[in-house]
Amino acid sequence: MPAAPARHRRLHGDPLPPGLSPLGYNKGMIKIAPSILSADFGILAEEIARVEAAGADQIHIDVMDGRFVPNISMGFPILDAIRKRTRLPLDLHLMIVEPEKYLAEFVARGADMLTVHVEACPHLQRTLVSIRELSALRGAPVKSGAALNPATLSSSLDYVLDDLDLVLVMSVNPGFGGQKFIPAVYPKIRQIRTQLGARAVDVSIDGGVKVEHARPLAEHGASILVAGSAVFESGDPAAVIKQMRSAAG
């Protein structure tokens, strides 16, 4: 079997592409995070290389357990494969029950950000603090995130605001890619921005995000747009990413 092209043999210790630095990418600009759930897993290395070359800021990885959501998706072997092929930050969106059992393992395998659902964490503050404490294991900052389902109130974050690096607002009901964006999340994003105040916390939007949503999402306070089918199912991911970033202003 012929060796993979050099771009697909990029290892975790290799230098970043010019202009990028770990967890400090595209400061002052909206960040675009292609969701790997929409990629063609038969050519996963090529798909990752394609969106990295297209200007993606980070890779969004949906981990589902078939219990918290009605679907099962990727686990440790897929994370290992992705980590070997990109130096872009990896944001793991943990749509699983009892995520605290697996945090250390995900970080050891290269996760840069771990996002847990408030609905799955009875001890949310403890879980978020535990994520940050794993920075010592990684030898680099590990960001802690909390995700909210569309019907979950933003007030559920009131007592963990100082423990957050990221808030992920679901704009579809989690579990499957390709769903239609729920416009009711717009005011929720603004509410969360108000709650966060001057805190340096990203607000990420995940679910059905298309180019036409980029401007209103940014105007309401989003700083990261998670896009799956809009990017991976397009003929030109670079054009879609550029259009999203341009539309967001």
Side-chain angles (χ1 to χ4, degrees), residues 34-41 47 62 74 177-178 227-233:
S35 173
I36 210 74
L37 187 65
S38 295
D40 182 343
F41 277 67
E47 292 280 72
D62 290 311
M74 58 209 83
S229 58
V231 171
F232 282 105
E233 294 179 11

Side-chain angles (χ1 to χ4, degrees), residues 185-206:
V185 301
Y186 284 125
K188 186 175 183 178
I189 298 165
R190 192 174 293 277
Q191 290 168 3
I192 289 170
R193 270 294 172 208
T194 300
Q195 286 173 269
L196 292 170
R199 295 175 179 86
V201 177
D202 273 316
V203 176
S204 177
I205 313 303
D206 181 10

Side-chain angles (χ1 to χ4, degrees), residues 126-233:
R126 179 190 301 167
T127 302
L128 294 172
V129 170
S130 296
I131 293 171
R132 285 182 171 176
E133 289 175 345
L134 289 170
S135 295
L137 174 64
R138 177 74 193 279
V142 178
K143 292 192 173 186
S144 62
L148 305 176
N149 283 341
T152 300
L153 298 177
S154 60
S155 58
S156 61
L157 301 174
D158 281 347
Y159 299 101
V160 296
L161 296 174
D162 292 325
D163 303 302
L164 292 166
D165 299 300
L166 169 73
V167 176
L168 188 151
V169 179
M170 292 301 302
S171 45
V172 299
N173 288 291
F176 298 93
Q179 297 183 63
K180 187 176 179 180
F181 181 88
I182 299 174
V185 301
Y186 284 125
K188 186 175 183 178
I189 298 165
R190 192 174 293 277
Q191 290 168 3
I192 289 170
R193 270 294 172 208
T194 300
Q195 286 173 269
L196 292 170
R199 295 175 179 86
V201 177
D202 273 316
V203 176
S204 177
I205 313 303
D206 181 10
V209 175
K210 309 293 184 187
V211 172
E212 60 265 29
H213 303 123
R215 179 173 293 278
L217 284 171
E219 289 175 344
H220 280 79
S223 56
I224 300 174
L225 306 183
V226 177
S229 58
V231 171
F232 282 105
E233 294 179 11

Side-chain angles (χ1 to χ4, degrees), residues 87-155:
R87 280 285 289 161
L88 290 178
L90 302 183
D91 175 19
L92 272 63
H93 178 190
L94 304 182
M95 290 177 270
I96 62 178
V97 299
E98 300 180 311
E100 61 278 359
K101 291 183 176 181
Y102 309 100
L103 300 177
E105 185 75 8
F106 281 124
V107 170
R109 291 171 181 261
D112 296 284
M113 292 161 270
L114 293 175
T115 300
V116 299
H117 269 264
V118 300
E119 304 88 357
C121 293
H123 306 291
L124 179 61
Q125 194 272 345
R126 179 190 301 167
T127 302
L128 294 172
V129 170
S130 296
I131 293 171
R132 285 182 171 176
E133 289 175 345
L134 289 170
S135 295
L137 174 64
R138 177 74 193 279
V142 178
K143 292 192 173 186
S144 62
L148 305 176
N149 283 341
T152 300
L153 298 177
S154 60
S155 58

Side-chain angles (χ1 to χ4, degrees), residues 49-61:
R50 196 161 66 115
V51 295
E52 184 169 340
D57 298 291
Q58 59 194 57
I59 300 293
H60 186 87
I61 303 173

